[in-house]
């Protein structure tokens, strides 16, 4: 096809997309005017759009394509499983080999107390399952009044009613007619934006103590669990000060509150350990997972259930009345298992920890020299830039200027996917990104920051 044919096809797809499709988290009028970008192909860390532009995917899709695009082994495993057994359920005392093999693999790569998984199709469903499980656990444990789940402002736990309520995104709460009762939100450990005059360590303790304060307010006899992402992803890569997690751990133990680490983004190597909980030395009772579990090749999620809950659910629970038609789908579990085996064979997590993340950290931190950048932080292969009006005083831009979104659009037009969360620019590239590609990512980011600054003048 020549260029004008390709372009005509793009325009046609854009028209149809805007006429027939309601996108997630999208302002429809605004998209209708611009037209969506149509992605047609991907390989390694790169995407190609329908006009033939190559784009470095700094977001690994939506924080999920951990082993990178184009791994033929995953396609082959999926095809073979489709032929062998495309579907069967796990409801009525049946099971199948890929589900069993994946369950065993997961118990191998998680901490020793995690020996069981409940399968879902997404992170949202995993968090709905968390709500069911923690409340069921306390019920069976003779403390049915322990119902409240404490979460954090600016957390993201998914988009169903339960997961959306657990999350701390106010726009989502405002748009829900029904918000699930029994959920409380405390402050987030966001030092750059909310730390004021405290140093990071003092602020970490203060943010953690918000948990004990809230537990005291509502009564520890009423609190079932605390849920949090080890590093908040969608909230803008909020990396807690090092004092935060030890204090949270202490508080959960003191008040007998279950700890739920939402590993949907941090799991499967993102931090340089298999799980964010390993990085921060947490021993959570439950870990919802999704995304990197299959590197996004097929939809699958689940909840890793620690012995404390699993023993009660198994021994005292009777029937657990919960599940999805596609819980542990044969093709999804087969692909997820192969994804994990590839990560093990190629030592992808170890390479992130020892080589890739240290290099990324060094390069990413150089962006802090840019006029627009108040802070360039990273952990593992998660990075964020705080775009600010005045870096000396930590003064933010007027949100109405939409600086983050401007920068994101400029990035896209210049061959880089970088996501904007307000005026925070975030990246979460595939874990297989190499040093040259990191250079390319950081150079493109610097160029796009320049262009953003020019546009603002
Ligand atoms: N927990 C966490 C920590 C997440 O990041 C979910 C749960 C929900 O997973 P599902 O599979 O139901 O989407 C997520 C999802 C963004 C963005 O733009 C982030 C997510 C999803 C979509 C967009 O940052 N995270």
């Amino acid at each position: 096809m020549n260029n004008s044919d390709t372009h005509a096809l793009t325009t046609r797809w854009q028209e149809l997309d805007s006429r027939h499709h309601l996108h997630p988290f999208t302002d429809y009028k605004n998209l209708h005017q611009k037209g969506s970008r149509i992605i047609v192909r991907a390989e390694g860390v790169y995407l190609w759009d329908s006009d033939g532009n190559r784009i470095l995917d700094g977001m690994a899709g939506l924080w999920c394509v951990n082993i990178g695009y184009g791994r033929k082994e995953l396609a082959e495993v999926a095809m073979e499983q489709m032929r062998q057994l495309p579907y069967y359920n796990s409801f009525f005392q049946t099971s199948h080999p890929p589900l069993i093999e994946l369950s065993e693999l997961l118990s191998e790569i998680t901490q020793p107390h995690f020996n069981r998984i409940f399968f879902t199709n997404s992170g949202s469903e995993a968090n709905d399952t968390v709500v069911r499980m923690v409340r069921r656990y306390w019920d069976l444990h003779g403390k049915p009044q322990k119902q409240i789940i404490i979460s954090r402002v600016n957390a993201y736990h998914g988009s169903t009613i339960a997961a959306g309520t657990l999350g701390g995104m106010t726009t989502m709460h405002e748009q829900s007619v029904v918000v699930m009762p029994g959920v409380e939100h405390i402050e987030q450990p966001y030092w750059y934006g909310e730390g004021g005059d405290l140093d990071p360590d003092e602020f970490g303790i203060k943010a953690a103590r918000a948990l004990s304060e809230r537990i005291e307010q509502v009564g520890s006899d009423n609190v079932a669990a605390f849920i949090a992402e080890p590093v908040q992803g969608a909230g803008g890569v909020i990396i807690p000060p090092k004092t935060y997690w030890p204090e949270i751990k202490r508080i959960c133990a003191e008040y007998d509150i279950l700890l739920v680490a939402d590993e949907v983004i941090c799991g499967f190597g993102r931090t340089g350990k298999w799980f964010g909980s390993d990085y921060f030395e947490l021993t959570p009772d439950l870990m919802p997972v999704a995304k990197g579990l299959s590197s996004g090749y097929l939809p699958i999620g689940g909840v890793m259930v620690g012995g404390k809950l699993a023993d009660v659910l198994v021994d005292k629970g009777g029937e657990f009345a919960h599940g999805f038609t596609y819980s542990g789908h044969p093709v999804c579990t087969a692909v997820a298992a192969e994804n994990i085996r590839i990560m093990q064979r190629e030592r992808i997590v170890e390479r992130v920890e020892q080589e890739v993340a240290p290099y990324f950290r060094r390069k990413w931190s150089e962006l802090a020299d840019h006029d627009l950048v108040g802070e360039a932080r990273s952990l593992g292969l998660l990075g964020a830039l705080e775009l600010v009006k005045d870096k000396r005083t930590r003064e933010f831009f007027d949100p109405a200027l939409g600086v983050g979104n401007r920068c994101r659009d400029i990035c896209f037009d210049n061959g880089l996917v970088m996501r904007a969360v307000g005026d925070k620019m975030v990246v979460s590239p595939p874990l297989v990104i190499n040093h040259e590609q990191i250079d390319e990512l950081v150079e493109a980011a610097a160029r796009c920051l320049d262009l953003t600054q020019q546009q603002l003048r």
Side-chain angles (χ1 to χ4, degrees):
M1 266 194 288
N2 66 33
N3 278 352
S4 69
D5 288 349
T6 329
H7 195 67
L9 188 57
T10 298
T11 309
R12 174 87 183 122
W13 275 333
Q14 286 174 328
E15 276 168 17
L16 291 174
D17 184 59
S18 121
R19 197 178 318 151
H20 299 298
H21 173 208
L22 292 173
H23 290 243
F25 283 91
T26 296
D27 175 334
Y28 301 119
K29 261 199 185 140
N30 176 290
L31 181 69
H32 184 72
Q33 282 152 12
K34 278 168 56 178
S36 34
R37 190 178 290 264
I38 315 289
I39 305 299
V40 292
R41 182 164 82 79
E43 184 67 37
V45 301
Y46 295 104
L47 308 167
W48 278 264
D49 71 13
S50 54
D51 286 336
N53 298 303
R54 192 187 81 159
I55 304 158
L56 199 169
D57 186 4
M59 282 305 295
L62 269 180
W63 325 75
C64 56
V65 188
N66 288 9
I67 67 166
Y69 297 96
R71 294 297 303 235
K72 297 206 170 40
E73 305 92 311
L74 296 189
E76 277 151 18
V77 162
M79 188 166 80
E80 177 52 31
Q81 188 57 47
M82 284 255 181
R83 289 192 167 132
Q84 182 77 23
L85 178 73
Y87 176 75
Y88 204 70
N89 69 73
S90 47
F91 271 50
F92 306 119
Q93 306 196 345
T94 56
S95 198
H96 54 74
L99 181 162
I100 296 165
E101 281 168 28
L102 176 60
S103 307
E104 191 202 4
L105 261 178
L106 286 167
S107 81
E108 235 175 78
I109 62 169
T110 50
Q111 295 173 19
H113 67 295
F114 284 120
N115 286 309
R116 293 176 193 265
I117 173 128
F118 190 102
F119 285 112
T120 68
N121 306 293
S122 67
S124 300
E125 288 175 358
N127 281 319
D128 271 51
T129 303
V130 161
V131 174
R132 301 286 309 273
M133 275 186 182
V134 298
R135 291 184 172 167
R136 181 90 183 117
Y137 167 80
W138 286 116
D139 220 9
L140 292 168
H141 209 58
K143 295 188 176 173
Q145 73 286 7
K146 269 171 109 64
Q147 288 279 307
I148 294 174
I149 302 176
I150 301 180
S151 176
R152 304 182 297 185
V153 170
N154 197 37
Y156 190 75
H157 297 298
S159 214
T160 55
I161 295 286
T165 308
L166 286 179
M169 302 289 174
T170 31
T171 41
M172 289 178 74
H173 296 173
E174 283 160 13
Q175 288 182 13
S176 301
V177 182
V178 185
V179 170
M180 182 180 67
V183 178
E184 299 272 330
H185 294 89
I186 59 169
E187 72 175 276
Q188 57 178 333
Y190 174 31
W191 176 77
Y192 187 82
E194 296 167 4
D197 294 333
L198 298 179
D199 71 37
D201 287 351
E202 290 167 343
F203 176 70
I205 296 285
K206 173 181 171 283
R209 298 260 166 92
L211 178 59
S212 45
E213 282 159 26
R214 188 62 60 90
I215 294 170
E216 295 282 354
Q217 273 167 22
V218 300
S220 64
D221 288 348
N222 301 317
V223 181
F226 175 64
I227 182 169
E229 305 149 79
V231 174
Q232 280 152 270
V237 182
I238 310 293
I239 303 168
K242 65 180 188 302
T243 50
Y244 182 77
W245 275 116
E247 185 63 6
I248 291 283
K249 247 171 93 169
R250 189 191 66 71
I251 293 167
C252 287
E254 182 186 335
Y255 291 96
D256 196 16
I257 307 291
L258 298 173
L259 176 60
V260 184
D262 183 337
E263 295 276 0
V264 170
I265 284 178
C266 291
F268 304 97
R270 183 58 53 201
T271 65
K273 298 283 187 192
W274 274 99
F275 294 90
S277 296
D278 303 333
Y279 183 93
F280 289 108
E281 299 179 355
L282 309 174
T283 41
D285 297 294
L286 294 170
M287 294 199 308
V289 294
K291 293 193 190 276
L293 170 56
S294 66
S295 283
Y297 278 59
L298 282 174
I300 180 167
V303 183
M304 290 303 305
V305 183
K308 182 163 139 183
L309 268 84
D311 291 349
V312 171
L313 288 176
V314 171
D315 292 341
K316 298 199 198 163
E319 178 177 318
F320 184 49
H322 180 71
F324 307 99
T325 300
Y326 302 120
S327 284
H329 188 283
V331 185
C332 302
T333 46
V335 166
E338 184 62 15
N339 172 58
I340 292 172
R341 285 190 207 103
I342 291 174
M343 292 184 78
Q344 288 177 321
R345 269 202 306 275
E346 300 181 5
R347 303 184 67 253
I348 289 178
V349 183
E350 292 83 349
R351 270 172 40 207
V352 169
E353 182 182 35
Q354 290 156 19
E355 298 161 32
V356 192
Y359 188 75
F360 173 72
R361 185 181 184 77
R362 193 147 53 77
K363 297 305 263 185
W364 189 251
S365 67
E366 289 170 9
L367 293 169
D369 294 338
H370 197 279
D371 282 348
L372 275 184
V373 176
E375 183 181 67
R377 57 177 176 265
S378 71
L379 190 158
L381 284 183
L382 290 164
L385 305 174
E386 294 277 357
L387 304 190
V388 290
K389 192 169 166 191
D390 185 338
K391 53 199 284 181
R392 276 163 301 275
T393 59
R394 279 198 248 161
E395 185 190 348
F396 290 104
F397 286 106
D398 177 355
L401 286 172
V403 175
N405 281 343
R406 285 170 194 250
C407 181
R408 179 207 52 203
D409 290 349
I410 290 171
C411 288
F412 233 133
D413 291 340
N414 285 274
L416 173 67
V417 177
M418 191 154 63
R419 159 141 159 59
V421 178
D423 291 344
K424 302 188 238 339
M425 302 310 298
V426 303
V427 292
S428 163
L431 306 184
V432 295
I433 192 168
N434 65 29
H435 288 200
E436 271 170 28
Q437 292 162 338
I438 290 174
D439 291 346
E440 184 187 333
L441 187 158
V442 172
E443 280 158 27
R447 215 165 43 243
C448 294
L449 290 168
D450 287 343
L451 292 169
T452 307
Q453 196 176 20
Q454 280 168 29
Q455 201 187 81
L456 290 171
R457 281 207 187 106

